């Protein structure tokens, strides 16, 4: 899976000469929190609601309220936009994009042409990536989630999967994870069935410790 499969290509942008008040209105009207800044087809920055808020909260000053309002009304996107950008290309693997967004502490991935890093192709927010992740893991979907605690102590993940298949259980997704404070992996399996009692009974008979999570 690549970021190009999940990015939003219908990107609303502004230019660096856009007034701050106009940028705020665009974000408000479209219910978004960020706007890439593009000048003459080239990506030059990004402006966010938080960035605007920080820039327009004025500290104590000798200027009067009318003077302050006049100055704020004249502020443009170029005065507050972020120009140090983190970008990815369309062929960036989805898992790498999610990891790097987390490590960089950023909320938006700007997707640019691989051979032309100034050409904006799309964006993907961490909210978008979160939705993709929850879908891939089967969260919120009907069925049964089995949490096999440290399966290597009683056998192996391969044995667990074989036993589920023998019981005609349909596996929608499966992943392993090392819980905080532990050293060994647990296995989470999402089954597309309404009742996993027989599967659970079979696995427990082999010594596996299992928790059935909310359906």
């Amino acid at each position: 899976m690549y970021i190009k499969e999940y990015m939003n290509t219908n990107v609303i942008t502004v230019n660096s000469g856009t007034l701050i008040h106009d940028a705020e209105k665009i974000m408000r009207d479209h219910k978004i929190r960020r706007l890439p800044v593009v000048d003459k087809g080239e990506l030059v920055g990004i402006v966010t609601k938080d960035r605007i808020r920080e820039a327009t909260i004025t500290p104590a000053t000798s200027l009067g309220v009318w003077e302050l309002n006049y100055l704020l009304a004249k502020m443009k996107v170029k005065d507050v936009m972020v120009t140090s950008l983190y970008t990815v290309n369309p062929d960036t693997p989805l898992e790498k994009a999610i990891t790097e967004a987390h490590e960089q502490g950023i909320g938006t991935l700007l997707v640019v042409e691989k051979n032309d890093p100034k050409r904006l192709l799309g964006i993907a927010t961490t909210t978008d990536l979160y939705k993709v992740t929850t879908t891939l893991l089967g969260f919120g979907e009907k069925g049964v989630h089995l949490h096999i605690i440290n399966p290597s102590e009683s056998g192996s993940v391969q044995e667990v999967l074989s036993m589920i298949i023998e019981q005609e259980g349909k596996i929608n997704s499966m992943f392993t994870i090392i819980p905080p404070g532990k050293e060994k992996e647990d296995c989470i399996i999402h089954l597309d069935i309404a009742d996993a009692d027989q599967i659970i009974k079979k696995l427990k008979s082999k010594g596996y410790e299992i928790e059935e999570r909310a359906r």
Side-chain angles (χ1 to χ4, degrees):
M1 297 179 293
Y2 299 98
I3 197 70
K4 63 185 176 185
E5 300 172 74
Y6 299 96
M7 69 182 185
N8 176 17
T9 57
N10 185 25
V11 185
I12 299 169
T13 66
V14 292
N15 62 63
S16 61
T18 303
L19 293 173
I20 290 298
H21 289 329
D22 291 337
E24 286 184 303
K25 184 178 185 305
I26 292 171
M27 285 189 269
R28 186 167 59 250
D29 290 347
H30 292 276
K31 296 181 173 59
I32 55 179
R33 300 185 59 82
R34 53 192 65 81
L35 288 167
V37 185
V38 177
D39 284 346
K40 297 180 180 180
E42 291 192 353
L43 177 67
V44 296
I46 187 169
V47 63
T48 67
K49 278 189 174 183
D50 290 341
R51 185 74 173 182
I52 292 174
R53 188 180 300 112
E54 291 171 3
T56 55
I57 295 177
T58 309
T61 175
S62 59
L63 294 176
V65 63
W66 294 109
E67 293 171 302
L68 284 174
N69 286 336
Y70 175 79
L71 290 175
L72 291 176
K74 294 294 183 180
M75 287 184 67
K76 297 180 179 181
V77 164
K78 64 182 178 182
D79 299 318
V80 300
M81 69 182 186
V82 176
T83 57
S84 178
L85 303 176
Y86 180 79
T87 61
V88 295
N89 68 69
D91 293 323
T92 300
L94 186 63
E95 57 270 31
K96 181 180 179 182
I98 293 173
T99 300
E100 293 187 354
H102 173 71
E103 291 176 347
Q104 296 290 330
I106 55 179
T108 303
L109 290 171
L110 299 168
V111 187
V112 297
E113 180 67 52
K114 189 172 184 179
N115 298 319
D116 184 2
K118 290 294 185 179
R119 184 187 173 202
L120 181 67
L121 300 178
I123 64 171
T125 66
T126 48
T127 300
D128 296 328
L129 299 180
Y130 172 77
K131 290 178 181 178
V132 173
T133 303
T134 55
T135 299
L136 291 175
L137 299 181
F139 295 159
E141 296 181 4
K142 293 182 180 180
V144 178
H145 282 87
L146 299 183
H147 187 151
I148 297 91
I149 300 171
N150 191 9
S152 61
E153 282 193 354
S154 303
S156 66
V157 172
Q158 288 80 3
E159 182 182 49
V160 169
L161 296 178
S162 295
M163 293 171 66
I164 290 174
I165 293 171
E166 287 175 3
Q167 295 294 316
E168 298 184 350
K170 182 181 178 183
I171 301 172
N172 268 1
S173 64
M174 185 275 289
F175 63 96
T176 57
I177 186 171
I178 300 178
K182 293 189 177 181
E183 296 180 354
K184 297 184 178 180
E185 292 181 330
D186 288 354
C187 181
I188 314 295
I189 300 175
H190 175 222
L191 301 175
D192 187 16
I193 56 177
D195 187 344
D197 289 348
Q198 290 302 314
I199 291 174
I200 293 172
K201 183 178 179 180
K202 183 73 173 179
L203 290 171
K204 285 186 174 180
S205 71
K206 293 291 186 178
Y208 290 99
E209 184 180 355
I210 302 172
E211 293 179 3
E212 181 180 353
R213 299 297 171 89
R215 302 179 183 183

